[in-house]
Amino acid sequence: MISQPIIQSSETRGKGISMKDGIQQSSNEIIVFLDGDIDPYPEGTIKNLTHPLINNEADFVKGAFARNAGRVTELVAKPLLNILFPGLAHFSQPLSGMIAGKKSYFKKIEFFNDYGADIGILIDMYLMKARVKEMNIGYIENKSKPWEALGKMSKEVSRAIISKAQGEPSSGLTEEEVISLEAINREMNKVLKEELSVFHKMAIFDMDDTILKGRFIDQCAKAFGFYPQLEDLRETEKDPIILTKRIGLMLRGRTMDDLLNVVSHMEMISDVKEVVKELKQKKYLVGIISSSYTLITNYIKHNIGADFSLAYNLEFREGKTTGEVNLPSYFFGSPDSICGHSVCKTNALQYACEKYNVLPKNCLVIGDSKDDRCMVAHAGTGVAFCTEDEVLEKVAAKSIKEKNFESLLTMI
C-alpha cells in the first residue's frame, strides 16, 4: 500500500533545516526527497528509489541519473571522497538530491544547511553503517548551476566532507593526503577562474589626450610656470623612469587642491560619461591605466563613473607633494609578463586582467601615444584614438579619428 504524498512548505530557510522539518512532520518510516527544480521526473522515479527499502535491501538510497556528472562533483566531491571516505568513492553522483531512506536513520542525521546537505547525509549514513545503495532513476534534464554559484557550492561541499572527516578518530590526514587536498583546491580554483573569465569583459582608457583633451602635466607646467623646463627635460632625458622622477620634482610643494584645481578645469571628451555608462550596462568593467598620478586618475575615475584606475603614486606629506614619484609594482615586468618591457602599461593591464579575472582577448583598450603601443597591441581590441603615432596606428585593431567615443560601442 502506498500512502498519499504530503506537501509541506517549510517556514525556515535553508535546505538542511527544511529537510529536518519535513522528517519531523512525516509519519511514515520511508521518506523520499526530490529536487524541486526538475520537471518532469522519469516515470517510476519514486518506485525505483523506494524499492530497495520496501524489500529491506537498503536503509538509504541515493538516486543517480543519466547526465554528465556535475563540475563540483568531478572537481571537488569525488577527489575528496577518494581521500577521506574511499568507501564512498564508487558513487557516480554523490551530490544527487534525489534520495530515499528510513526515518529511523534520518532522525540521527546532523544536517548541513547549504549545498553540503546532500553529501553530508550520504556520509552520515555511511558512518552509521547503514546499508547504502545507488539506484539509476533514468534520464533527467537538470540545469547546471551558474558559474558564479560554483565557488560557493564548492566551498560548502568541501566544508561538509572535511567536517565529517574531522569528526572521525581515524581520519588523521597524512602529509601526502594534505598535499593532494591542496592540489585539488588549486585545480578547482584554476578551472573555475578559467571558465568564469570567458564571460568577463573590460574596457581600459588612457587618460592624457584620450579622456582628457590635453595632458595633465602640461597644464600644470603652464599653470605653475615651468613649461620651458619641462620641454627641455623631455628633449634631454630619454630614460622614462628618470624622466618621470624629475618631472615629479617640478611639482614639489604643490598641494592636492592645487593639482585638483588644474584637472578640474581641463576639458574631457564630451561623450565619455555616456559611453562609460553604456559599456557598464553591457557588463564591461571600465578602468583607467595612465602614466599620470593616482590623485588625478581617481578624480577622473569618479567623474566618468569608471570602476578603477592604475597610475603612478605622487607622494604627499602634510597635504603637499614631496616631488617623489613611486611606480607601483604592477607596472614592472615579471617572469609571467606577456610583454618584454621592464616597465610598461601592459604589465598593469595584465595585473588588472588577473585581479578582475578577465582574459586579455576580452579587453578593449583605448590609447593615443607611443606609451600605449604595447598595451593596445596586446588587447583583444586595441583602439588608436586621434593619434599622431604611426606605429600605434599600425598595431591597433581599430582607429578613431574624431574626438568622441561613440564608435567604440559599435566595436564591442
Side-chain angles (χ1 to χ4, degrees), residues 171-398:
S171 64
L173 298 178
T174 65
E175 182 179 358
E176 182 179 347
E177 288 171 334
V178 171
I179 293 172
S180 296
L181 289 175
E182 291 174 346
I184 292 168
N185 184 59
R186 285 196 303 272
E187 287 304 309
M188 176 189 72
N189 288 333
K190 179 181 177 182
V191 170
L192 291 177
K193 187 173 182 180
E194 287 175 351
E195 294 290 345
L196 281 169
S197 65
V198 174
F199 303 100
H200 294 174
K201 300 172 289 186
M202 186 160 62
I204 297 293
F205 290 83
D206 174 44
M207 183 183 74
D208 290 314
D209 282 327
T210 303
I211 296 174
L212 292 176
K213 292 183 177 180
R215 302 182 66 78
F216 170 73
I217 194 61
D218 288 354
Q219 293 303 116
C220 284
K222 293 172 183 176
F224 305 139
F226 61 81
Y227 194 80
Q229 295 93 318
L230 176 63
E231 288 290 276
D232 290 342
L233 182 59
R234 283 172 171 163
E235 285 294 323
T236 57
E237 184 54 70
K238 302 305 178 185
D239 186 302
I241 303 300
I242 297 176
L243 179 62
T244 295
K245 294 282 190 178
R246 293 187 63 184
I247 290 175
L249 290 172
M250 293 180 174
L251 294 172
R252 183 188 299 169
R254 298 294 169 182
T255 66
M256 290 184 180
D257 285 343
D258 290 337
L259 303 187
L260 291 173
N261 185 56
V262 170
V263 71
S264 69
H265 285 85
M266 292 184 70
E267 189 178 355
M268 294 190 298
I269 298 300
S270 60
D271 64 350
V272 63
K273 293 181 183 179
E274 290 76 13
V275 170
V276 167
K277 182 179 179 180
E278 186 73 19
L279 286 168
K280 294 178 73 171
Q281 287 176 349
K282 294 181 181 296
K283 307 303 181 182
Y284 273 77
L285 193 71
V286 179
I288 300 169
I289 296 181
S290 171
S291 299
S292 188
Y293 313 118
T294 53
L295 174 69
I296 307 306
T297 59
N298 282 337
Y299 171 87
I300 297 298
K301 176 194 76 172
H302 292 303
N303 205 291
I304 67 174
D307 298 294
F308 68 92
S309 77
L310 303 177
Y312 297 166
N313 294 323
L314 183 63
E315 183 181 90
F316 287 86
R317 188 172 299 152
E318 296 180 354
K320 294 183 178 181
T321 174
T322 65
E324 182 65 36
V325 179
N326 299 310
L327 277 65
S329 59
Y330 45 72
F331 280 99
F332 289 89
S334 72
D336 298 323
S337 295
I338 58 178
C339 78
H341 302 128
S342 57
V343 178
C344 185
K345 287 183 177 180
T346 305
N347 295 324
L349 172 65
Q350 188 172 357
Y351 166 83
C353 287
E354 292 171 355
K355 179 176 181 179
Y356 297 107
N357 197 24
V358 182
L359 297 174
K361 69 178 183 180
N362 290 341
C363 289
L364 173 70
V365 174
I366 307 98
D368 74 288
S369 70
K370 65 179 183 180
D371 290 340
D372 302 313
R373 292 173 184 169
C374 188
M375 180 171 67
V376 165
H378 281 91
T381 303
V383 180
F385 182 76
C386 298
T387 186
E388 297 179 1
D389 186 86
E390 293 182 0
V391 176
L392 177 63
E393 189 84 47
K394 289 180 180 179
V395 301
K398 306 284 185 179

